[in-house]
Amino acid sequence: MNQASNPVEILRELEALCRRNAHPLPSQVEIKEDWVGIGFRLGEHRLVAPLGEVVEILTYPGLSKVPGARDWVRGIANVRGNLLPIMDLGGYLHGRNTVSGRRSRVLVINHKGVFSGLIVDEVLGLKHFLPEEATDELPTEDPALRPYLESSFRSGDELWGVFSMHRLAETPQFLQAAV
């Protein structure tokens, strides 16, 4: 640095020196947010529920029957001291109850006061989808499923329908569990 007497000149020389020796800023990397959901199977349909709409996944619990309830209401389970109504999602949608097996699971939802467990054939784990995998194409023409499908994702050859647990919990027919 030269011996400048003017303070403004000293600052300019210092700034120039810093700019010559400064490292460049790191390049900006675009981060893509994955869409994450719980994959599950209902019959032959592969569906995915938004992660925030499922509060817990349970193995098939012991149940107490509920007299006067619809066929798709399997019963009430005691889950850590809380009573949880258990509904058969396949039974509700298609009128035929799911045959419970060792892969059957219960997806627990809690939305606007509706705290319920939904029996599904199998839980397929967390599913991650990139934004470019979203599609307007729905995976089925099934009229019972269509009202609950929000969108879908295509991953390879598979089409995963996004099943809205919140929409299900707000459906008047679902809330009418008594015969």
Side-chain angles (χ1 to χ4, degrees):
M1 231 162 72
N2 293 341
Q3 299 235 345
S5 58
N6 183 348
V8 173
E9 286 299 316
I10 294 173
L11 287 173
R12 284 188 181 137
E13 287 181 25
L14 185 59
E15 179 187 19
L17 182 64
C18 286
R19 288 187 185 274
R20 278 194 303 271
N21 295 318
H23 294 287
L25 291 173
S27 63
Q28 294 228 316
V29 177
E30 183 182 345
I31 297 175
K32 294 183 179 180
E33 288 290 323
D34 286 2
W35 186 95
V36 182
I38 304 289
F40 65 97
R41 189 175 57 77
L42 189 63
E44 72 276 0
H45 302 291
R46 289 180 178 269
L47 303 167
V48 63
L51 188 59
E53 294 185 11
V54 175
V55 296
E56 190 172 2
I57 300 169
L58 303 172
T59 57
Y60 195 85
L63 299 175
S64 296
K65 292 285 184 192
V66 178
R70 298 198 184 269
D71 290 342
W72 46 268
V73 177
R74 288 286 186 93
I76 300 270
N78 183 340
V79 179
R80 292 179 301 284
N82 295 308
L83 294 179
L84 178 68
I86 305 293
M87 318 294 193
D88 188 315
L89 187 57
Y92 166 73
L93 293 171
H94 298 111
R96 57 186 180 279
N97 283 339
T98 303
V99 177
S100 301
R102 62 175 237 269
R103 292 182 183 224
S104 298
R105 294 291 181 268
V106 175
L107 301 178
V108 179
I109 62 171
N110 190 1
H111 177 66
K112 293 186 177 180
V114 177
F115 180 59
S116 297
L118 303 169
I119 300 170
V120 297
D121 292 302
E122 182 179 8
V123 169
L124 304 169
L126 283 178
K127 297 296 174 190
H128 297 260
F129 299 101
L130 296 173
E132 57 266 19
E133 293 176 308
T135 178
D136 292 332
E137 180 184 357
L138 293 180
T140 180
E141 294 295 323
D142 186 337
L145 275 174
R146 295 285 286 209
Y148 306 105
L149 296 178
E150 294 182 327
S151 60
S152 59
F153 291 95
R154 179 168 294 286
S155 178
D157 292 338
E158 293 181 325
L159 193 58
W160 293 80
V162 177
F163 189 92
S164 174
M165 298 295 182
H166 287 175
R167 198 176 290 168
L168 175 71
E170 293 170 0
T171 303
Q173 298 90 323
F174 182 73
L175 298 174
Q176 296 299 319
V179 176

